[in-house]
Amino acid sequence: MAIVTLDNGVPSNEQTAGAHIPYRRARVVNQETSEPVNVVDDLRRSPAANSRRTNSERSTPLHTPDLKYPPRRRHVMANTYGEITTSIDQGVGTIAFSRYERRNALSLELFADLSDCLDDWAGNDDVACVVITGGEEIFCAGLDLKLQSMFTNQERRDAYSNACLRAYGTLLDYSKPTIAAVGGPALGGGCDIAVFCDIRIGADNVIMGFPQIKMGLTPYFSPLWKIVGLSQAKLLTFSGDKIDAAEALRIGILDRLVPAGNVVDEATRLARSIAETGTASAINNKEMARRSPAMDPISALTYETLAYREVIWHADVVDRIGAAYKRITK
């Protein structure tokens, strides 16, 4: 008999579809021999190869009903931070930059607060979706020039590099959906934070761009080019010119545009819509969005089919389907 076991490792970005099941790396193991079974090869066997399998092999289930969602940690007390404020409500975790006197410029402390909060919420079942904002008037002015002026110090440069890599890496490969609520300027590192989020809601007072390029600094070209295309990414990163809200929407760096003063409400409304699907569902769908683009079409199809088979029999999913059916048959 074959059973599915879940390793504790984080799924890698391999090209093989069988390596990815939502939440954890999945392995199908023969219970009698303890040998791993190659699920992808099994699914993609030719008819001739399948005909050589025994009746027992052909009837082996992929999953067993005792496989459960991994337990998720619930938090009783919220952490306090120095340069961000946080809240959790109706499945939505909101992170707001609070360095207003510095136009929400990025400091080592703000980077650390952002990273710590994201790490904390990754295991919090009360958070299904995260909204990141600076408020209605200023999203983030980019790297604090006071910090940047200290880069002649090697230790300070190393600290910044480590903080930057941790924060951006955490956000870029986060396990839950993230939404940037962008009001006012989002420049340099602030624009990067918005780009590294899954979805960007912008107000019509938005200014975006990478002005650090005018100083001879380099930008993050990826994943910007995957969002706006190579040509538009080159325009932004070669020149360092800023763009307004209408242009940001036109080239796709913003997904939706709302009147100034409404961006946090609109982002929160969308986040609640995502949270209504449930934390487990939000994580599943985010995992698929993280992994599928790196696969070839057939591997992606196989992986996404396995992901569907993974969740279709779960009790909460069955209950939702049943409730929906009852509503349409009344």
Side-chain angles (χ1 to χ4, degrees), residues 33-79:
T33 66
S34 297
E35 293 295 322
V37 177
N38 191 322
V39 179
V40 178
D41 286 349
D42 181 73
L43 287 175
R44 299 176 67 180
R45 286 177 187 266
S46 66
N50 272 312
S51 68
R52 292 194 293 271
R53 302 173 71 205
T54 66
N55 289 335
S56 175
E57 287 176 321
R58 281 195 291 268
S59 63
T60 296
L62 177 61
H63 302 293
T64 57
D66 60 341
L67 182 64
K68 303 296 184 184
Y69 280 96
R72 303 204 65 79
R73 186 162 46 107
R74 287 188 176 274
H75 293 201
V76 177
M77 296 181 63
N79 290 338

Side-chain angles (χ1 to χ4, degrees), residues 171-199:
L171 186 56
L172 186 59
D173 201 38
Y174 200 56
S175 62
K176 298 177 179 181
T178 55
I179 301 173
V182 187
L187 303 172
C191 193
D192 288 325
I193 288 175
V195 167
F196 291 163
C197 288
D198 296 309
I199 299 167

Side-chain angles (χ1 to χ4, degrees), residues 7 14 18 253 284:
D7 292 343
E14 300 157 353
I253 198 169
N284 278 341

